[in-house]
Structure formats: C-alpha cells, structure tokens
Amino acid sequence: MTLHPAAADADYGATASGSSFYAAMRILPRDQREAMFQIYSFCRQVDDIADSDGPRPERLAALQQWRDDIDALYQGHPPPRLQDYAASVKTFGLKREDFLAIVDGMQMDVPQDIRAPDLATLDLYCDRVASAVGRLSVRVFGLPEEDGILLAHHLGRALQLTNILRDIDEDAGLGRLYLPREGLLLAGITTDDPQRVIVDRALPKVCLPLAERAKKHFEKADEIMKRNSRRVVRAPRIMSKYYRAILDLLLARGFAAPREPVRVHKWAKIAILLRYAII
C-alpha cells in the first residue's frame, strides 16, 4: 500500500528527489534534513518488502530482520544499514517503538492482503504506517511533545485516508481494499472483492464519509500547527496543503467509475512552497 508519513511523502514508488517529500524536506537545516531522509529510507525499504511479490514467508522474515536491526540500533550496536541512524536517534530522541510500529503496519499487508478492514483495524493501520512516522518526524522538527503527538495523530490519518481514496484502483490491482467494512455494508455492498467493489455504483457512498473524516483530521492538524512556530511546522504544513489539494481534487472528480487519476498541478505545488516555505 502506498502510504504516508505525517511529515514525509506517501509516494514511496517515486524517487525522493521527484516527490513532494523532497520539496518539503529540502527547506530544513542539514541535520534535520538528514534525519528525515533516514526515516524516509527506512519507510521505503520496509514498504518495498510488504509490496513485493515475493513469497509471504520470505517477506515476513525480512520484516523480522528489520525488527532485529532496530533492536540492535537501540542496544548500541547498529547494523551497517542503520549505522548513520545512531546520531539522529540521539540528537532528536527518536523512539524505538515508533520504528517498530511502522514495521508492524507494513506486516498487516503480508500474511494476507487487507480487504475491507473494520474501522478499528483501519485506524490501527493508519496509526502504524502514517502517524508513527509522524511521531518520529515531529521530534525532528522540534515540536513540543504534546502538540507533536497530536499533530502526528491527526495529520498522519488525514494523509493516509487521502492516499486510500486516491489509490482505490491501484490497490485493487494488488488485491487490496482498504475501504472500511462498515462503510461498504452501509452502502449495500456485501462483497470484499476489490475488483467488484471498485465498479459498484454505490462506491461514492463509501468514499464520501471517509473523505469527510480526512477533512476533520486536516482541520485538527491545522489548529495544532497554527498555535506553533511557523518555522517549526513549515514541512508538515507543506505536506498538509499538498495532500489537502489532492483530497479536494478527488472530491471534485467524484468516486464513480471510471476514475481518472488526479494530480496537483506543478504550479499549484510551487505556490504552496512559496507560501509556506519562506518565513
């Protein structure tokens, strides 16, 4: 599943240099930027394992190796691929449990493909693959503890729900369906077969409430960012505005089949950067 870190880009399929993540992170001081690219690299590598077409037991073993490597990092003897992370962990107080939560989130896709999770499972998934990355990121940005955790909670969920709505067709091609079971049943859709769900005429009745949920999380995130220093929240604000623009485009397009992909225009991205990157 394409995912989103709360202050990084969800599109791990793109190169960092071509992503909105790169645009948001390049404005940071060097030590913060390096820490964020380490977080990005970690997320991308474990995401690639979850999304690969390798045998499921091999993917589970590879994710377990990442858990072992994270443990080794925090025990003071990092493996080569995490050697450079030690300084960032110390400088920014990055938490072991957040790295492990990301691995746990990726693993939710591995034993079997996620199909129509209940709302509680969907929220747990969003917390692990998005808000946990946000909890790492806000420490790098320097937000106060309480507001940082709150921002990671709301912005992570806002961005991940936006990803889910944007990637319905792509995920179905992988045999996955992240739309909540309760929403499907309420719309009268009783199957969890992704290919059948994405062509169902009732699909907009499932997607619109999820979009409203994402909007509320964006609004909560905005409230938190407004009461903190503009300099501290520059990067998460850029990501928030970029993904809110994606959500607006999805709502304008609608969710009935066939669905054309949506993209934020280059000049709209530049406008966001000019408005929020410069203090």
Side-chain angles (χ1 to χ4, degrees):
M1 167 64 185
T2 310
L3 56 94
H4 166 84
D9 186 39
D11 191 5
Y12 294 120
T15 61
S17 61
S19 69
S20 54
F21 167 84
Y22 182 80
M25 296 309 121
R26 66 187 300 182
I27 65 173
L28 296 172
R30 182 177 177 179
D31 59 341
Q32 291 179 313
R33 186 171 65 248
E34 288 180 353
M36 286 306 304
F37 274 104
Q38 288 166 359
I39 294 169
Y40 176 97
S41 175
F42 169 76
C43 291
R44 178 164 185 169
Q45 290 180 78
V46 293
D47 188 38
D48 284 347
I49 293 169
D51 280 352
S52 77
D53 55 5
R56 294 182 191 272
E58 289 183 10
R59 285 187 272 164
L60 291 171
L63 291 174
Q64 182 57 50
Q65 185 59 59
W66 272 108
R67 289 191 186 89
D68 295 342
D69 286 355
I70 290 296
D71 284 342
L73 169 65
Y74 280 86
Q75 289 164 8
H77 42 88
R81 63 180 173 180
L82 291 177
Q83 197 78 42
D84 295 340
Y85 286 57
S88 296
V89 166
K90 182 177 180 180
T91 300
F92 300 109
L94 305 182
K95 300 295 186 183
R96 167 181 170 272
E97 57 263 32
D98 292 325
F99 281 109
L100 294 178
I102 295 165
V103 180
D104 290 342
M106 302 301 178
Q107 185 166 316
M108 291 174 73
D109 274 318
V110 177
Q112 59 186 21
D113 293 319
I114 289 183
R115 291 193 175 187
D118 59 43
L119 280 167
T121 302
L122 177 61
D123 190 65
L124 176 62
Y125 180 78
C126 290
D127 184 79
R128 287 173 169 176
V129 302
S131 293
V133 190
R135 291 191 289 272
L136 292 171
S137 302
V138 293
R139 292 181 182 280
V140 174
F141 300 146
L143 268 83
E145 180 80 9
E146 185 174 347
D147 270 359
I149 297 299
L150 277 175
L151 180 59
H153 174 92
H154 289 294
L155 191 52
R157 283 160 169 80
L159 302 181
Q160 189 60 32
L161 291 174
T162 299
N163 272 338
I164 287 169
L165 292 168
R166 180 192 63 185
D167 297 337
I168 291 170
D169 296 297
E170 180 183 339
D171 289 331
L174 297 173
R176 297 172 181 172
L177 178 67
Y178 294 90
L179 299 176
R181 184 173 303 275
E182 293 92 334
L184 293 169
L185 293 175
L186 195 60
I189 302 175
T190 57
T191 180
D192 65 0
D193 180 338
Q195 295 300 331
R196 291 174 62 189
V197 170
I198 64 173
V199 297
D200 197 294
R201 294 177 63 182
L203 184 64
K205 296 179 181 178
V206 185
C207 296
L208 290 174
L210 211 59
E212 286 300 314
R213 181 175 294 219
K215 285 169 66 174
K216 289 178 181 177
H217 283 302
F218 275 119
E219 290 163 6
K220 290 288 187 183
D222 283 344
E223 291 174 12
I224 297 162
M225 288 189 283
K226 283 177 183 176
R227 63 178 180 247
N228 282 277
S229 162
R230 281 176 57 91
R231 182 171 296 277
V232 170
V233 298
R234 282 185 303 169
R237 195 186 293 278
I238 289 168
M239 293 304 303
S240 175
K241 296 302 178 183
Y242 175 72
Y243 269 83
R244 180 57 198 263
I246 292 175
L247 183 62
D248 289 342
L249 288 170
L250 290 170
L251 288 167
R253 180 206 64 187
F255 294 98
R259 289 168 291 275
E260 289 293 323
V262 303
R263 287 182 176 82
V264 179
H265 192 277
K266 177 182 177 181
W267 294 110
K269 294 181 184 179
I270 292 172
I272 291 171
L273 282 172
L274 289 175
R275 181 171 181 182
Y276 297 105
I278 301 172
I279 301 300

